[in-house]
PDB file of all heavy atoms in Angstrom:
ATOM      1  N   GLN D  25      95.300  94.633 103.917  1.00 80.00           N
ATOM      2  CA  GLN D  25      95.748  93.934 102.707  1.00 80.00           C
ATOM      3  C   GLN D  25      94.721  92.889 102.274  1.00 80.00           C
ATOM      4  O   GLN D  25      94.435  92.742 101.089  1.00 80.00           O
ATOM      5  CB  GLN D  25      97.120  93.285 102.935  1.00 80.00           C
ATOM      6  CG  GLN D  25      98.247  94.280 103.087  1.00 80.00           C
ATOM      7  CD  GLN D  25      98.528  95.049 101.816  1.00 80.00           C
ATOM      8  OE1 GLN D  25      98.438  94.530 100.714  1.00 80.00           O
ATOM      9  NE2 GLN D  25      98.858  96.311 101.961  1.00 80.00           N
ATOM     10  N   LEU D  28      91.805  94.637 100.663  1.00 85.00           N
ATOM     11  CA  LEU D  28      92.122  95.115  99.317  1.00 85.00           C
ATOM     12  C   LEU D  28      91.985  94.007  98.286  1.00 85.00           C
ATOM     13  O   LEU D  28      91.629  94.261  97.140  1.00 85.00           O
ATOM     14  CB  LEU D  28      93.544  95.686  99.268  1.00 85.00           C
ATOM     15  CG  LEU D  28      93.771  96.989 100.016  1.00 85.00           C
ATOM     16  CD1 LEU D  28      95.228  97.396  99.925  1.00 85.00           C
ATOM     17  CD2 LEU D  28      92.869  98.100  99.483  1.00 85.00           C
ATOM     18  N   ASP D  29      92.251  92.774  98.679  1.00 85.00           N
ATOM     19  CA  ASP D  29      92.146  91.667  97.735  1.00 85.00           C
ATOM     20  C   ASP D  29      90.695  91.266  97.492  1.00 85.00           C
ATOM     21  O   ASP D  29      90.413  90.483  96.601  1.00 85.00           O
ATOM     22  CB  ASP D  29      92.976  90.469  98.216  1.00 85.00           C
ATOM     23  CG  ASP D  29      93.390  89.575  97.068  1.00 85.00           C
ATOM     24  OD1 ASP D  29      93.763  90.105  95.994  1.00 85.00           O
ATOM     25  OD2 ASP D  29      93.330  88.340  97.228  1.00 85.00           O
ATOM     26  N   SER D  30      89.760  91.829  98.277  1.00 88.00           N
ATOM     27  CA  SER D  30      88.349  91.503  98.063  1.00 88.00           C
ATOM     28  C   SER D  30      87.594  92.629  97.350  1.00 88.00           C
ATOM     29  O   SER D  30      86.459  92.452  96.939  1.00 88.00           O
ATOM     30  CB  SER D  30      87.671  91.188  99.403  1.00 88.00           C
ATOM     31  OG  SER D  30      87.584  92.359 100.192  1.00 88.00           O
ATOM     32  N   ILE D  31      88.222  93.795  97.201  1.00 89.00           N
ATOM     33  CA  ILE D  31      87.596  94.919  96.500  1.00 89.00           C
ATOM     34  C   ILE D  31      87.964  94.824  95.015  1.00 89.00           C
ATOM     35  O   ILE D  31      89.123  94.664  94.676  1.00 89.00           O
ATOM     36  CB  ILE D  31      88.088  96.266  97.079  1.00 89.00           C
ATOM     37  CG1 ILE D  31      87.670  96.401  98.547  1.00 89.00           C
ATOM     38  CG2 ILE D  31      87.556  97.429  96.257  1.00 89.00           C
ATOM     39  CD1 ILE D  31      88.279  97.605  99.242  1.00 89.00           C
ATOM     40  N   GLU D  32      86.961  94.914  94.144  1.00 92.00           N
ATOM     41  CA  GLU D  32      87.206  94.791  92.705  1.00 92.00           C
ATOM     42  C   GLU D  32      87.085  96.130  91.986  1.00 92.00           C
ATOM     43  O   GLU D  32      86.267  96.968  92.360  1.00 92.00           O
ATOM     44  CB  GLU D  32      86.217  93.794  92.077  1.00 92.00           C
ATOM     45  CG  GLU D  32      86.452  92.369  92.493  1.00 92.00           C
ATOM     46  CD  GLU D  32      85.568  91.377  91.755  1.00 92.00           C
ATOM     47  OE1 GLU D  32      85.021  91.713  90.672  1.00 92.00           O
ATOM     48  OE2 GLU D  32      85.429  90.252  92.263  1.00 92.00           O
ATOM     49  N   VAL D  33      87.927  96.296  90.975  1.00 92.00           N
ATOM     50  CA  VAL D  33      87.865  97.454  90.080  1.00 92.00           C
ATOM     51  C   VAL D  33      87.822  96.918  88.648  1.00 92.00           C
ATOM     52  O   VAL D  33      88.163  95.762  88.409  1.00 92.00           O
ATOM     53  CB  VAL D  33      89.079  98.405  90.263  1.00 92.00           C
ATOM     54  CG1 VAL D  33      89.095  99.017  91.649  1.00 92.00           C
ATOM     55  CG2 VAL D  33      90.391  97.699  89.973  1.00 92.00           C
ATOM     56  N   VAL D  44      89.196  94.769  81.934  1.00 95.00           N
ATOM     57  CA  VAL D  44      90.030  93.974  82.833  1.00 95.00           C
ATOM     58  C   VAL D  44      89.496  94.173  84.245  1.00 95.00           C
ATOM     59  O   VAL D  44      89.398  95.308  84.721  1.00 95.00           O
ATOM     60  CB  VAL D  44      91.515  94.412  82.769  1.00 95.00           C
ATOM     61  CG1 VAL D  44      92.335  93.692  83.822  1.00 95.00           C
ATOM     62  CG2 VAL D  44      92.086  94.159  81.385  1.00 95.00           C
ATOM     63  N   ARG D  45      89.123  93.078  84.900  1.00 94.00           N
ATOM     64  CA  ARG D  45      88.704  93.127  86.308  1.00 94.00           C
ATOM     65  C   ARG D  45      89.888  92.731  87.169  1.00 94.00           C
ATOM     66  O   ARG D  45      90.581  91.754  86.871  1.00 94.00           O
ATOM     67  CB  ARG D  45      87.533  92.171  86.566  1.00 94.00           C
ATOM     68  CG  ARG D  45      86.210  92.765  86.198  1.00 94.00           C
ATOM     69  CD  ARG D  45      84.980  91.978  86.670  1.00 94.00           C
ATOM     70  NE  ARG D  45      85.250  90.945  87.638  1.00 94.00           N
ATOM     71  CZ  ARG D  45      84.918  89.657  87.483  1.00 94.00           C
ATOM     72  NH1 ARG D  45      84.312  89.252  86.407  1.00 94.00           N
ATOM     73  NH2 ARG D  45      85.201  88.780  88.424  1.00 94.00           N
ATOM     74  N   ALA D  46      90.109  93.505  88.235  1.00 92.00           N
ATOM     75  CA  ALA D  46      91.233  93.250  89.135  1.00 92.00           C
ATOM     76  C   ALA D  46      90.816  93.586  90.556  1.00 92.00           C
ATOM     77  O   ALA D  46      89.812  94.271  90.771  1.00 92.00           O
ATOM     78  CB  ALA D  46      92.433  94.116  88.731  1.00 92.00           C
ATOM     79  N   THR D  47      91.600  93.094  91.513  1.00 89.00           N
ATOM     80  CA  THR D  47      91.369  93.495  92.898  1.00 89.00           C
ATOM     81  C   THR D  47      92.126  94.783  93.152  1.00 89.00           C
ATOM     82  O   THR D  47      93.040  95.142  92.401  1.00 89.00           O
ATOM     83  CB  THR D  47      91.861  92.423  93.897  1.00 89.00           C
ATOM     84  OG1 THR D  47      93.287  92.363  93.843  1.00 89.00           O
ATOM     85  CG2 THR D  47      91.248  91.065  93.600  1.00 89.00           C
ATOM     86  N   ALA D  48      91.753  95.471  94.218  1.00 88.00           N
ATOM     87  CA  ALA D  48      92.450  96.703  94.580  1.00 88.00           C
ATOM     88  C   ALA D  48      93.902  96.421  94.950  1.00 88.00           C
ATOM     89  O   ALA D  48      94.727  97.313  94.956  1.00 88.00           O
ATOM     90  CB  ALA D  48      91.738  97.404  95.739  1.00 88.00           C
ATOM     91  N   LYS D  49      94.213  95.168  95.226  1.00 85.00           N
ATOM     92  CA  LYS D  49      95.591  94.782  95.524  1.00 85.00           C
ATOM     93  C   LYS D  49      96.379  94.550  94.235  1.00 85.00           C
ATOM     94  O   LYS D  49      97.586  94.423  94.245  1.00 85.00           O
ATOM     95  CB  LYS D  49      95.585  93.522  96.398  1.00 85.00           C
ATOM     96  CG  LYS D  49      96.891  93.229  97.073  1.00 85.00           C
ATOM     97  CD  LYS D  49      96.748  92.111  98.081  1.00 85.00           C
ATOM     98  CE  LYS D  49      98.090  91.834  98.724  1.00 85.00           C
ATOM     99  NZ  LYS D  49      97.996  90.749  99.689  1.00 85.00           N
ATOM    100  N   GLY D  50      95.682  94.494  93.090  1.00 84.00           N
ATOM    101  CA  GLY D  50      96.351  94.363  91.800  1.00 84.00           C
ATOM    102  C   GLY D  50      96.288  92.983  91.176  1.00 84.00           C
ATOM    103  O   GLY D  50      96.847  92.760  90.114  1.00 84.00           O
ATOM    104  N   ARG D  51      95.569  92.053  91.792  1.00 87.00           N
ATOM    105  CA  ARG D  51      95.438  90.709  91.232  1.00 87.00           C
ATOM    106  C   ARG D  51      94.407  90.748  90.106  1.00 87.00           C
ATOM    107  O   ARG D  51      93.298  91.229  90.279  1.00 87.00           O
ATOM    108  CB  ARG D  51      94.999  89.735  92.337  1.00 87.00           C
ATOM    109  CG  ARG D  51      94.899  88.287  91.897  1.00 87.00           C
ATOM    110  CD  ARG D  51      94.630  87.365  93.080  1.00 87.00           C
ATOM    111  NE  ARG D  51      93.488  87.763  93.872  1.00 87.00           N
ATOM    112  CZ  ARG D  51      92.231  87.360  93.662  1.00 87.00           C
ATOM    113  NH1 ARG D  51      91.960  86.533  92.665  1.00 87.00           N
ATOM    114  NH2 ARG D  51      91.255  87.758  94.439  1.00 87.00           N
ATOM    115  N   ILE D  52      94.773  90.254  88.923  1.00 91.00           N
ATOM    116  CA  ILE D  52      93.871  90.241  87.769  1.00 91.00           C
ATOM    117  C   ILE D  52      92.888  89.078  87.920  1.00 91.00           C
ATOM    118  O   ILE D  52      93.284  87.936  88.151  1.00 91.00           O
ATOM    119  CB  ILE D  52      94.657  90.100  86.451  1.00 91.00           C
ATOM    120  CG1 ILE D  52      95.680  91.232  86.313  1.00 91.00           C
ATOM    121  CG2 ILE D  52      93.711  90.058  85.254  1.00 91.00           C
ATOM    122  CD1 ILE D  52      95.111  92.629  86.376  1.00 91.00           C
ATOM    123  N   ILE D  53      91.610  89.392  87.774  1.00 92.00           N
ATOM    124  CA  ILE D  53      90.557  88.382  87.930  1.00 92.00           C
ATOM    125  C   ILE D  53      90.073  87.897  86.570  1.00 92.00           C
ATOM    126  O   ILE D  53      89.878  86.709  86.363  1.00 92.00           O
ATOM    127  CB  ILE D  53      89.371  88.959  88.726  1.00 92.00           C
ATOM    128  CG1 ILE D  53      89.829  89.361  90.130  1.00 92.00           C
ATOM    129  CG2 ILE D  53      88.220  87.975  88.798  1.00 92.00           C
ATOM    130  CD1 ILE D  53      88.827  90.199  90.878  1.00 92.00           C
ATOM    131  N   ALA D  54      89.864  88.840  85.631  1.00 93.00           N
ATOM    132  CA  ALA D  54      89.315  88.457  84.329  1.00 93.00           C
ATOM    133  C   ALA D  54      89.667  89.491  83.272  1.00 93.00           C
ATOM    134  O   ALA D  54      89.868  90.666  83.572  1.00 93.00           O
ATOM    135  CB  ALA D  54      87.792  88.319  84.425  1.00 93.00           C
ATOM    136  N   PHE D  78      94.553  97.148  81.195  1.00 92.00           N
ATOM    137  CA  PHE D  78      95.344  96.760  82.374  1.00 92.00           C
ATOM    138  C   PHE D  78      95.809  98.001  83.128  1.00 92.00           C
ATOM    139  O   PHE D  78      95.721  98.063  84.358  1.00 92.00           O
ATOM    140  CB  PHE D  78      96.563  95.923  81.965  1.00 92.00           C
ATOM    141  CG  PHE D  78      96.304  94.451  81.915  1.00 92.00           C
ATOM    142  CD1 PHE D  78      96.117  93.822  80.687  1.00 92.00           C
ATOM    143  CD2 PHE D  78      96.251  93.686  83.066  1.00 92.00           C
ATOM    144  CE1 PHE D  78      95.874  92.462  80.625  1.00 92.00           C
ATOM    145  CE2 PHE D  78      96.004  92.329  83.010  1.00 92.00           C
ATOM    146  CZ  PHE D  78      95.818  91.703  81.784  1.00 92.00           C
ATOM    147  N   ALA D  81      92.936  99.574  84.974  1.00 93.00           N
ATOM    148  CA  ALA D  81      92.621  98.793  86.176  1.00 93.00           C
ATOM    149  C   ALA D  81      93.652  99.051  87.267  1.00 93.00           C
ATOM    150  O   ALA D  81      93.314  99.217  88.444  1.00 93.00           O
ATOM    151  CB  ALA D  81      92.550  97.298  85.851  1.00 93.00           C
ATOM    152  N   ARG D  82      94.929  99.110  86.901  1.00 91.00           N
ATOM    153  CA  ARG D  82      96.008  99.351  87.878  1.00 91.00           C
ATOM    154  C   ARG D  82      95.848 100.720  88.536  1.00 91.00           C
ATOM    155  O   ARG D  82      96.006 100.868  89.748  1.00 91.00           O
ATOM    156  CB  ARG D  82      97.367  99.255  87.177  1.00 91.00           C
ATOM    157  CG  ARG D  82      98.569  99.501  88.044  1.00 91.00           C
ATOM    158  CD  ARG D  82      98.838  98.315  88.959  1.00 91.00           C
ATOM    159  NE  ARG D  82      98.481  98.688  90.304  1.00 91.00           N
ATOM    160  CZ  ARG D  82      98.336  97.858  91.304  1.00 91.00           C
ATOM    161  NH1 ARG D  82      98.504  96.574  91.146  1.00 91.00           N
ATOM    162  NH2 ARG D  82      98.020  98.263  92.492  1.00 91.00           N
ATOM    163  N   THR D  83      95.518 101.742  87.735  1.00 93.00           N
ATOM    164  CA  THR D  83      95.308 103.086  88.270  1.00 93.00           C
ATOM    165  C   THR D  83      94.137 103.097  89.253  1.00 93.00           C
ATOM    166  O   THR D  83      94.235 103.667  90.343  1.00 93.00           O
ATOM    167  CB  THR D  83      95.048 104.088  87.121  1.00 93.00           C
ATOM    168  OG1 THR D  83      96.206 104.122  86.286  1.00 93.00           O
ATOM    169  CG2 THR D  83      94.761 105.477  87.637  1.00 93.00           C
ATOM    170  N   LYS D  84      93.044 102.432  88.879  1.00 93.00           N
ATOM    171  CA  LYS D  84      91.876 102.376  89.760  1.00 93.00           C
ATOM    172  C   LYS D  84      92.198 101.576  91.023  1.00 93.00           C
ATOM    173  O   LYS D  84      91.773 101.941  92.116  1.00 93.00           O
ATOM    174  CB  LYS D  84      90.683 101.768  89.016  1.00 93.00           C
ATOM    175  CG  LYS D  84      90.135 102.705  87.958  1.00 93.00           C
ATOM    176  CD  LYS D  84      89.048 102.052  87.125  1.00 93.00           C
ATOM    177  CE  LYS D  84      88.523 103.016  86.075  1.00 93.00           C
ATOM    178  NZ  LYS D  84      87.580 102.381  85.144  1.00 93.00           N
ATOM    179  N   ALA D  85      92.949 100.488  90.888  1.00 91.00           N
ATOM    180  CA  ALA D  85      93.341  99.685  92.047  1.00 91.00           C
ATOM    181  C   ALA D  85      94.204 100.519  92.997  1.00 91.00           C
ATOM    182  O   ALA D  85      94.019 100.480  94.214  1.00 91.00           O
ATOM    183  CB  ALA D  85      94.094  98.423  91.603  1.00 91.00           C
ATOM    184  N   ASP D  86      95.132 101.291  92.446  1.00 90.00           N
ATOM    185  CA  ASP D  86      95.987 102.148  93.276  1.00 90.00           C
ATOM    186  C   ASP D  86      95.159 103.191  94.013  1.00 90.00           C
ATOM    187  O   ASP D  86      95.407 103.466  95.195  1.00 90.00           O
ATOM    188  CB  ASP D  86      97.056 102.847  92.425  1.00 90.00           C
ATOM    189  CG  ASP D  86      98.147 101.896  91.958  1.00 90.00           C
ATOM    190  OD1 ASP D  86      98.262 100.780  92.507  1.00 90.00           O
ATOM    191  OD2 ASP D  86      98.890 102.280  91.030  1.00 90.00           O
ATOM    192  N   VAL D  88      91.941 103.040  94.912  1.00 89.00           N
ATOM    193  CA  VAL D  88      91.175 102.388  95.975  1.00 89.00           C
ATOM    194  C   VAL D  88      92.107 101.968  97.109  1.00 89.00           C
ATOM    195  O   VAL D  88      91.793 102.153  98.282  1.00 89.00           O
ATOM    196  CB  VAL D  88      90.393 101.173  95.430  1.00 89.00           C
ATOM    197  CG1 VAL D  88      89.773 100.356  96.545  1.00 89.00           C
ATOM    198  CG2 VAL D  88      89.315 101.637  94.464  1.00 89.00           C
ATOM    199  N   SER D  89      93.257 101.409  96.768  1.00 86.00           N
ATOM    200  CA  SER D  89      94.225 100.964  97.774  1.00 86.00           C
ATOM    201  C   SER D  89      94.682 102.137  98.638  1.00 86.00           C
ATOM    202  O   SER D  89      94.712 102.035  99.867  1.00 86.00           O
ATOM    203  CB  SER D  89      95.429 100.321  97.076  1.00 86.00           C
ATOM    204  OG  SER D  89      96.407  99.953  98.028  1.00 86.00           O
TER     205      SER D  89
END
Side-chain angles (χ1 to χ4, degrees):
Q25 291 293 324
L28 291 178
D29 205 41
S30 68
I31 297 172
E32 291 186 19
V33 296
V44 173
R45 277 191 13 236
T47 68
K49 195 171 179 181
R51 183 173 53 90
I52 303 303
I53 298 168
F78 270 103
R82 179 74 252 166
T83 298
K84 289 174 180 173
D86 288 344
V88 171
S89 177

